[in-house]
Amino acid sequence: MSKYKEFEEKVFNWLMDKHKNDSAFTFSLRKVGKTGAETDYFTGTEKSNYFGTTFWHIIVAYPGNANELIGLIFKLNEQGYSYIFRFQQTKTPHNDQNKNGLDFIRLLKPIIKSNFQKYSEVDTEKNKIEYFSIESPKSNYESIDSLLADADIDLKKLIPIVDQELLNFKKIYPEFSAQKFSEAEFKTMLDKFKTRRANFSKPDIMTPPLKPVLVNQAKINRPLNTILYGPPGTGKTYNSIVKAAEIITGEQYETKERYEIAKQFFRNESGKQVEFVTFHQNYSYEDFVAGLRPDVEAASIGLRFVEHKGIFYKICQRAKENYQQYSSGQTFIEPTFEEVLEVFLQPLVEDEEIEVATIARNVTFHITANNNGKNLSFRKQSGGTQHTLSISTLKDLYYEKREYNLQGLGIYFRPVVDKLKQIAKGMRKETGKIALKNYVLIIDEINRANISRVFGELITLLEPDKRLGAANELRLRLPGLPEEELFSVPPNLYIVGTMNTADKSIALIDIALRRRFVFEDIYPRPDLIDALVNSPYNEFLKALNEQILAKKGPDFLIGHSYLMPDEGEELDFLIAMNQKIIPLLNEYFYNQRNISVLSLLQSSIAKVPGFVVEKDDYVGVVCKQAL
């Protein structure tokens, strides 16, 4: 168990003991188990080394969020453990609830300051957040138990103060929605947490990431654009995944560990820092970058097109966001639109409607359903339900890519966007200086698509000196994207392609692509496979490839993976020969009648005792066991 997990579990047990002694003592648990955090007790991330809880349900952000109005935050670093009680709220509230939240913590400030010795405050005119805190007596604790003992003293002192002041405040502002979590609310959170933890605690899901086996500690300088090429069966796709792991971690791995590293890393990082796509003949620019696609869901009301963002565009945006945060020295992470929307729509998961007030504030409507992430159903104050709110339009308005139209449905978009931005303010995460990450796009079978058609102007943007922040940086306006949006490729995005040299479509790779990519050859390596070293299969493969090299060339050799058994199984040589190698050789030498596949194999099969190759009138060349 990692230090972080041990810390989190001890805090949970400490709080649960307090709840068992007093059922009225409640606290928040993580409500949404996002990818990688399904078994976390509280909000926060192991990567950022913090987690947090709260004891009051005050709707200015998401209940249980570490950026709640009042929260208890636990931190872990190399020196030890610490905690703070944090009070924070935006200085520019957008509604009465948030304004009351700001007034309430301002009311608390002098009381907290006079009652707690380790009071700390950030108070500048430029600061957009009202912020003060109670810090742990020691900046770092070596023992979790001693930290919790001090936290217990502060907590017993703080809760009665907040409860009393909240009671007084609500007498003046009864509309202020703020109270401790009820026992029923706490039980619901606890039950959901237990269910989620049970579902995601299986060994195959919760296996800790494999630690890299370092060959050398020095960081590796790699080309931004690489194509792994070679004959079939040499492990190009497999090596591309390992290369992605090396690019992202900055380390090299020993060969014997590669399989596990590739498997685990790709599973853990797919959709985040690494993406994988396979090109084919029908793959297009619109699939890869951006364009318009027919809206299938709207087919019943007529043909219309919706904007589509391809896999290259999406990973570029993720890499660019990280690069810009790193370059600016940013010390916090803003939540994405998707993360904020998930929080906003959480009541729908609980089978509750979401009430929203229009700009006039005297008319309300209710969000009733999320329709496959495409649009939101809502019920007007008049009872009408025939219209929906497009989520893509909400996203554009949220990022201010388009202006509000206050006619028709436009009046319903603005209050939803206002609520989303209000939630986002409470979800901002302080991280310290953001580290620069590497991102990798793996393009398998890169030569199978029409490269000029798929890449378009990206051929130019991929060059190192044309990337974002480079000496000759280029930003282009791409078809299918809003006119005001200029596209660029960040310098922390790596492209790794694979190319089968025996494939006839290799002729389609034009000079423009060849000039912008570094080509790495991957040829048969029987010595990589333990089962083939000093074995007759090893000698067979060498003998066969020597003949192919002489008669056909290096691009048509037989890869070592054809003689690799599946994990945990033994090699079935007859199946490998009759279903993989012989059909491939027949394809290679189909139009070369002066070369006999039978004679080619007969001189090689002699290296493997107990097997022969014969000519069969019905099935052609076939491998059999010797009598």
Side-chain angles (χ1 to χ4, degrees):
M1 181 183 292
S2 69
K3 279 189 175 182
Y4 179 91
K5 290 293 184 184
E6 178 188 5
F7 189 19
E8 195 182 28
E9 185 173 336
K10 281 202 171 186
V11 170
F12 172 76
N13 291 334
W14 167 64
L15 292 171
M16 282 300 297
D17 287 342
K18 296 176 75 64
H19 173 71
K20 290 172 184 176
N21 293 330
D22 177 7
S23 60
F25 178 86
T26 55
F27 56 95
S28 66
L29 294 165
R30 176 180 282 277
K31 278 197 170 185
V32 179
K34 295 181 180 178
T35 303
E38 295 91 349
T39 61
D40 285 1
Y41 295 88
F42 308 103
T43 54
T45 66
E46 184 167 3
K47 188 173 183 180
S48 298
N49 285 325
Y50 84 93
F51 57 88
T53 186
T54 186
F55 308 94
W56 297 274
H57 191 170
I58 305 175
I59 307 175
V60 290
Y62 184 68
N65 189 283
N67 289 334
E68 185 64 52
L69 189 72
I70 305 171
L72 172 55
I73 313 301
F74 293 91
K75 299 179 180 180
L76 169 66
N77 56 48
E78 292 180 358
Q79 287 72 43
Y81 311 92
S82 62
Y83 69 84
I84 63 169
F85 288 93
R86 188 167 64 188
F87 304 75
Q88 64 175 21
Q89 174 65 334
T90 174
K91 290 181 179 178
T92 56
H94 294 282
N95 59 24
D96 291 341
Q97 174 69 14
N98 277 271
K99 183 179 182 302
N100 287 334
L102 179 60
D103 290 342
F104 180 59
I105 64 167
R106 282 177 172 172
L107 173 70
L108 283 175
K109 185 187 291 188
I111 302 171
I112 299 300
K113 188 173 184 178
S114 63
N115 280 276
F116 292 88
Q117 185 178 358
K118 294 287 285 185
Y119 171 85
S120 176
E121 179 179 345
V122 176
D123 187 18
T124 64
E125 291 184 4
K126 293 183 179 180
N127 191 38
K128 296 180 180 180
I129 301 293
E130 188 81 19
Y131 181 97
F132 60 94
S133 62
I134 304 165
E135 298 183 5
S136 50
K138 297 179 183 178
S139 57
N140 284 295
Y141 291 77
E142 293 183 4
S143 163
I144 298 175
D145 292 333
S146 60
L147 174 137
L148 293 179
D150 283 351
D152 195 56
I153 294 170
D154 282 343
L155 189 61
K156 287 177 179 176
K157 191 175 179 180
L158 177 66
I159 286 181
I161 292 174
V162 175
D163 286 349
Q164 184 59 52
E165 294 304 322
L166 189 57
L167 185 64
N168 297 338
F169 190 82
K170 292 189 70 172
K171 288 178 181 177
I172 304 172
Y173 302 100
E175 71 278 8
F176 183 44
S177 178
Q179 58 277 326
K180 296 179 78 169
F181 288 102
S182 68
E183 291 180 43
E185 285 177 304
F186 177 71
K187 184 178 184 304
T188 299
M189 283 189 287
L190 187 61
D191 288 345
K192 286 186 176 181
F193 165 74
K194 288 179 178 178
T195 300
R196 189 172 69 245
R197 193 171 179 83
N199 290 339
F200 286 91
S201 291
K202 298 173 184 177
D204 59 329
I205 294 176
M206 294 308 298
T207 301
L210 196 66
K211 292 183 179 179
V213 181
L214 304 184
V215 171
N216 101 43
Q217 295 283 355
K219 297 295 179 183
I220 306 163
N221 292 320
R222 296 185 178 277
L224 289 172
N225 309 313
T226 306
I227 288 179
L228 309 180
Y229 72 99
T234 54
K236 296 179 293 297
T237 302
Y238 166 79
N239 276 281
S240 71
I241 294 174
V242 175
K243 185 178 285 290
E246 292 178 342
I247 289 171
I248 291 174
T249 63
E251 309 293 352
Q252 286 182 303
Y253 302 97
E254 289 183 352
T255 301
K256 65 181 181 180
E257 300 291 339
R258 284 187 161 204
Y259 179 75
E260 284 301 320
I261 290 170
K263 184 171 66 174
Q264 282 196 37
F265 189 87
F266 187 71
R267 181 180 64 206
N268 295 337
E269 293 301 323
S270 183
K272 292 178 282 187
Q273 282 181 253
V274 62
E275 292 280 9
F276 186 100
V277 63
T278 301
F279 276 5
H280 53 79
Q281 287 85 348
N282 289 329
Y283 205 74
S284 69
Y285 179 92
E286 290 75 17
D287 297 316
F288 191 55
V289 188
L292 298 177
R293 280 185 173 179
D295 187 353
V296 178
E297 295 187 3
S300 59
I301 61 174
L303 179 63
R304 73 173 186 180
F305 292 86
V306 293
E307 188 179 280
H308 168 74
K309 304 290 178 59
I311 192 169
F312 183 82
Y313 178 91
K314 290 177 180 177
I315 194 168
C316 261
Q317 295 305 98
R318 292 202 295 272
K320 185 189 298 183
E321 181 181 11
N322 171 256
Y323 173 73
Q324 291 173 335
Q325 289 170 343
Y326 167 79
S327 301
S328 66
Q330 186 174 312
T331 59
F332 60 86
I333 296 178
E334 294 281 6
T336 64
F337 170 81
E338 288 73 20
E339 290 172 333
V340 176
L341 185 67
E342 180 182 359
V343 169
F344 173 68
L345 297 179
Q346 182 62 29
L348 296 181
V349 179
E350 314 273 341
D351 294 326
E352 297 177 6
E353 295 182 350
I354 303 168
E355 183 177 287
V356 184
T358 61
I359 297 171
R361 299 190 63 81
N362 58 353
V363 177
T364 60
F365 61 97
H366 292 79
I367 307 293
T368 58
N370 175 10
N371 303 314
N372 298 320
K374 298 290 185 181
N375 54 60
L376 304 177
S377 297
F378 71 100
R379 185 179 67 255
K380 300 178 183 177
Q381 186 164 294
S382 62
T385 59
Q386 69 271 34
H387 295 112
T388 59
L389 301 177
S390 165
I391 289 179
S392 64
T393 300
L394 283 171
K395 185 174 183 177
D396 285 346
L397 292 170
Y398 179 86
Y399 286 120
E400 299 179 357
K401 290 184 178 180
R402 67 168 75 182
E403 296 182 356
Y404 289 100
N405 176 9
L406 297 181
Q407 302 298 317
L409 288 178
I411 62 169
Y412 295 99
F413 280 99
R414 186 161 196 162
V416 175
V417 173
D418 286 345
K419 271 189 169 289
L420 292 173
K421 289 189 173 183
Q422 173 189 327
I423 292 170
K425 288 179 182 293
M427 293 177 66
R428 174 184 283 187
K429 298 176 181 178
E430 295 292 336
T431 62
K433 183 170 173 57
I434 293 174
L436 182 65
K437 299 178 182 177
N438 288 336
Y439 292 74
V440 183
L441 174 61
I442 299 172
I443 305 175
D444 202 27
E445 307 286 1
I446 192 171
N447 53 297
R448 284 186 170 272
N450 184 327
I451 297 300
S452 298
R453 179 188 177 200
V454 173
F455 276 86
E457 60 279 286
L458 296 182
I459 288 292
T460 301
L461 294 183
L462 289 178
E463 294 183 40
D465 71 318
K466 305 295 193 303
R467 296 205 180 194
L468 185 65
N472 300 312
E473 174 188 326
L474 278 183
R475 302 187 185 202
L476 301 180
R477 187 170 284 112
L478 303 186
L481 293 178
E483 198 169 306
E484 68 277 5
E485 183 174 344
L486 294 177
F487 184 81
S488 58
V489 179
N492 56 332
L493 175 64
Y494 291 74
I495 311 295
V496 178
T498 70
M499 179 189 299
N500 185 347
T501 55
D503 195 322
K504 297 180 179 67
S505 62
I506 193 171
L508 298 175
I509 297 297
D510 59 25
I511 299 300
L513 189 70
R514 293 180 186 275
R515 186 173 71 80
R516 290 170 173 89
F517 278 78
V518 172
F519 284 71
E520 291 184 16
D521 55 24
I522 298 185
Y523 284 102
R525 289 280 306 278
D527 56 294
L528 293 178
I529 315 303
D530 291 340
L532 295 181
V533 176
N534 299 320
S535 73
Y537 304 128
N538 186 340
E539 297 303 314
F540 162 77
L541 191 61
K542 286 180 180 178
L544 178 60
N545 277 333
E546 284 175 3
Q547 295 184 76
I548 295 174
L549 182 63
K551 300 178 185 298
K552 190 76 174 174
D555 292 339
F556 298 88
L557 300 177
I558 302 296
H560 46 270
S561 70
Y562 285 104
L563 293 174
M564 286 174 57
D566 292 334
E567 187 177 7
E569 297 183 7
E570 293 183 2
L571 173 66
D572 190 322
F573 186 69
L574 285 177
I575 289 180
M577 287 291 292
N578 292 319
Q579 297 183 11
K580 298 178 181 180
I581 294 176
I582 291 175
L584 188 61
L585 291 174
N586 286 331
E587 175 69 18
Y588 282 174
F589 298 101
Y590 180 73
N591 290 320
Q592 293 179 257
R593 298 186 180 182
N594 59 321
I595 299 176
S596 166
V597 171
L598 180 62
S599 61
L600 200 70
L601 285 169
Q602 281 178 331
S603 58
S604 306
I605 200 71
K607 304 288 185 180
V608 187
F611 293 92
V612 296
V613 176
E614 298 177 351
K615 181 78 171 179
D616 187 287
D617 292 336
Y618 294 99
V619 297
V621 178
V622 62
C623 181
K624 299 179 180 179
Q625 284 187 315
L627 298 176

